[in-house]
Amino acid sequence: MQISFFGAAREVTGSCSLVESGHNRILIDCGMFQGGEFNEKKNHEALPFDPKSLTAVVVTHAHLDHVGRLPLLVKGGYDGFFYTTPATAELAKLVLDDAVEIMKYDNRKFGRPILFTEVEVAGVIQCFKPLNYGEEYDLDLIKSGEKFLIKLYDAGHIFGSAFVEIKADGKKVVFSGDLGNAQAPIVRDTESLPTDVDALICESTYGSHLHETGEKRAEIVENMITDGLRQGGVLMIPSFAIERTQELIYELNDLIDRKHKIPNVPIFLDSPMAIGASRVYRKYPEYYDEEATKFFKAGDDLFNFPGLVMCESRDDSRKINKTPPPKVIIAGAGMMNGGRILHHAVRYLSDARNTLLIIGYQANGTLGRQLLDGAKVVTVMQERVQVKCRITAVGGLSAHADQKKILDWITGGKSLPKKIYLNHGEPESSEVLAKRLQEDFGAKVTVVDFGLTVKV
Ligand code: ZN
């Protein structure tokens, strides 16, 4: 078996790996490269393989950096299936439709090139083949006679997310996809890593970082909302539409509706994608963890509460401006590299009474990262904006596993994977994690480079 890395190599976006075994050529994810621009130049470069030569594609989860270049495969002539969980298939549709909208807007407004259209997105959506967790499936679709077995396990990262076990050519390989944070609500915990793994390809987003511990998530949310509103201004929360937003609403529902712990201020959910994603969450209660299942069975709507205002249309969004502070605005994109949060940023960043609360990972080059790094002036939608509002960050709500969780996951089983390849991390994160795995556990670790091909 041979594995080649064509994305998320010494960076956190653009996930894409090719697995070849006999006549089978299977791609794991094909995500968008993201940075300062929603659609980075790198996405427009020719794919380093011929999409027509692929025999199947497997998708770990619906984040744009894992699904954002799937339409390019269709554009390049791939006409096979995309295997993933049913929830990922539905969420990926929302993510890709949203990407088309953002690219069209960027094209009209700034003349930026469009990477793909509704046509290619429809080509992907039609060819999703749902697979349930734990089901073994032979991807030797070309009937070469060489089995290529895959099994999806719950990665606990976002709704529907999976890590992938591959058995082919007498070897067992696991792709972690993205691993979930240990204490995330709604989603179940990451399933254990299978034993006797010959090669593990593992993410390392937070390979050098430990999330804050000690404080419960509900307390974090309570504190960040009350603290963010203490000056009577606007609390802006850029939030990934999928998972982070549902988790936040789930916690707020508990704090406001059940515990009455948060002041009664309007909370705007200004993200059609997040509203759509909540519908998918409602459709698959079988994915819920124990606590969410309990609330669901008691008849509680987990993704709504008094005071929550859903803004689907642009008109709804504009109405937020007319509501006087204090108010909370939750809007995408999570790294502020597009989406409705930008309009609010232009309006509210320059007022010292307001707060911008960062709750997710901010990739290099994004507006969110610039603000987090303390920029005093930023350019938002071609406008120069003075930054006077308070910028705070909370890491405990991350959808990603931290260093401890990754180490526990890799080393917690009966046997250590024979070889570990780290991807999906900025160089420092991957290197620090590699060092820990080598020095503390004697693991054989490689931090992958773009274009690297390894034999298993
Ligand atoms: Zn992800």
Side-chain angles (χ1 to χ4, degrees):
M1 198 190 309
Q2 187 168 297
I3 304 169
S4 305
F5 301 96
F6 294 128
R10 295 183 188 269
E11 61 182 325
V12 291
T13 64
S15 277
C16 181
S17 307
L18 177 65
V19 185
E20 296 164 278
S21 172
H23 292 88
N24 293 301
R25 285 168 63 81
I26 316 277
L27 201 68
I28 311 287
D29 290 339
C30 199
M32 199 182 263
F33 292 106
Q34 295 176 277
E37 286 178 22
F38 174 78
N39 168 14
E40 289 282 285
K41 283 196 185 67
K42 251 199 284 186
N43 294 304
H44 293 269
E45 289 169 11
L47 291 165
F49 51 85
D50 179 5
K52 287 201 258 333
S53 72
L54 299 174
T55 54
V57 177
V58 179
V59 180
T60 61
H61 65 286
H63 273 152
L64 194 64
D65 63 322
H66 293 256
V67 300
R69 285 187 297 157
L70 295 178
L72 295 188
L73 302 177
V74 173
K75 208 173 178 179
Y78 173 68
D79 60 358
F81 291 118
F82 298 88
Y83 293 86
T84 193
T85 63
T88 295
E90 292 200 41
L91 293 172
K93 178 182 182 330
L94 295 174
V95 170
L96 292 173
D97 285 345
D98 184 69
V100 169
E101 285 306 308
I102 292 176
M103 286 190 287
K104 277 196 203 158
Y105 177 84
D106 282 354
N107 180 264
R108 274 198 313 271
K109 197 110 180 159
F110 313 116
R112 291 184 190 137
I114 282 174
L115 192 60
F116 51 81
T117 66
E118 295 90 343
V119 178
E120 290 93 23
V121 170
V124 175
I125 306 304
Q126 284 160 11
C127 291
F128 271 125
K129 259 285 199 243
L131 270 187
N132 291 318
Y133 294 122
E135 237 175 71
E136 194 163 64
Y137 192 84
D138 189 359
L139 276 193
D140 179 31
L141 307 165
I142 49 169
K143 304 288 173 218
S144 70
E146 300 149 356
K147 278 193 188 307
F148 193 103
L149 301 172
I150 63 159
K151 201 194 270 189
L152 304 182
Y153 292 79
D154 198 334
H157 167 57
I158 65 168
F159 213 57
S161 65
F163 66 83
V164 187
E165 176 195 83
I166 296 172
K167 284 196 264 181
D169 206 11
K171 304 281 181 188
K172 191 193 280 186
V173 172
V174 171
F175 281 83
S176 75
D178 287 356
L179 298 171
N181 189 347
Q183 46 162 346
I186 312 168
V187 288
R188 293 191 298 239
D189 289 344
T190 309
E191 289 189 71
S192 305
L193 179 67
T195 51
D196 303 320
V197 173
D198 293 288
L200 167 68
I201 293 81
C202 190
E203 69 124 324
S204 49
T205 315
Y206 281 113
S208 60
H209 176 90
L210 292 172
H211 297 323
E212 306 95 332
T213 50
E215 228 183 352
K216 290 217 163 67
R217 286 179 68 98
E219 283 164 23
I220 298 175
V221 174
E222 185 187 337
N223 291 340
M224 74 190 203
I225 301 281
T226 37
D227 184 52
L229 291 170
R230 105 182 110 89
Q231 296 179 92
V234 180
L235 172 60
M236 287 176 281
I237 310 179
S239 182
F240 293 96
I242 297 174
E243 193 63 30
R244 196 72 43 79
T245 300
Q246 284 73 33
E247 288 174 4
L248 195 54
I249 290 171
Y250 177 91
E251 301 283 10
L252 288 170
N253 178 30
D254 193 33
L255 289 165
I256 292 172
D257 206 11
R258 292 188 207 102
K259 298 180 181 145
H260 311 287
K261 283 211 163 169
I262 284 181
N264 195 12
V265 302
I267 298 180
F268 295 95
L269 176 55
D270 190 16
S271 166
M273 185 166 42
I275 296 166
S278 299
R279 288 189 195 112
V280 179
Y281 276 63
R282 287 193 181 97
K283 198 170 154 186
Y284 296 97
E286 64 270 30
Y287 291 169
Y288 296 168
D289 68 3
E290 214 174 305
E291 185 192 66
T293 304
K294 197 179 80 199
F295 292 146
F296 169 75
K297 284 194 173 152
D300 193 349
D301 183 349
L302 305 184
F303 307 105
N304 203 354
F305 54 82
L308 181 67
V309 186
M310 313 255 192
C311 305
E312 284 215 71
S313 69
R314 289 199 180 274
D315 248 12
D316 294 340
S317 178
R318 273 188 282 270
K319 280 183 199 150
I320 300 173
N321 304 340
K322 295 193 182 123
T323 304
K327 59 186 171 187
V328 179
I329 303 169
I330 305 167
M335 298 192 289
M336 304 183 77
N337 52 351
R340 291 186 183 174
I341 190 70
L342 298 185
H343 297 273
H344 302 299
V346 169
R347 187 172 285 268
Y348 299 121
L349 282 177
S350 54
D351 187 331
R353 285 170 305 170
N354 300 336
T355 300
L356 177 80
L357 176 64
I358 305 271
I359 57 170
Y361 188 81
Q362 306 295 311
N364 250 336
T366 58
L367 175 61
R369 178 69 162 260
Q370 291 170 41
L371 291 164
L372 191 60
D373 287 347
K376 291 284 162 250
V377 182
V378 288
T379 304
V380 189
M381 299 197 319
Q382 296 187 328
E383 258 185 65
R384 279 174 73 74
V385 183
Q386 301 270 347
V387 183
K388 293 193 181 139
C389 77
R390 215 157 53 101
I391 315 276
T392 56
V394 176
L397 299 184
S398 170
H400 276 276
D402 66 358
Q403 187 196 58
K404 181 179 183 311
K405 162 90 187 270
I406 302 174
L407 286 173
D408 287 349
W409 186 69
I410 296 177
T411 64
K414 281 193 200 124
S415 59
L416 203 59
K418 290 199 185 89
K419 192 84 221 266
I420 299 168
Y421 298 95
L422 296 180
N423 67 356
H424 205 289
E426 287 178 8
E428 201 237 331
S429 299
S430 308
E431 295 292 354
V432 169
L433 184 65
K435 205 161 173 248
R436 291 270 338 246
L437 282 162
Q438 280 157 346
E439 290 178 2
D440 300 355
F441 300 95
K444 288 197 177 112
V445 191
T446 302
V447 176
V448 308
D449 287 306
F450 186 96
L452 173 73
T453 297
V454 297
K455 284 205 177 356
V456 180

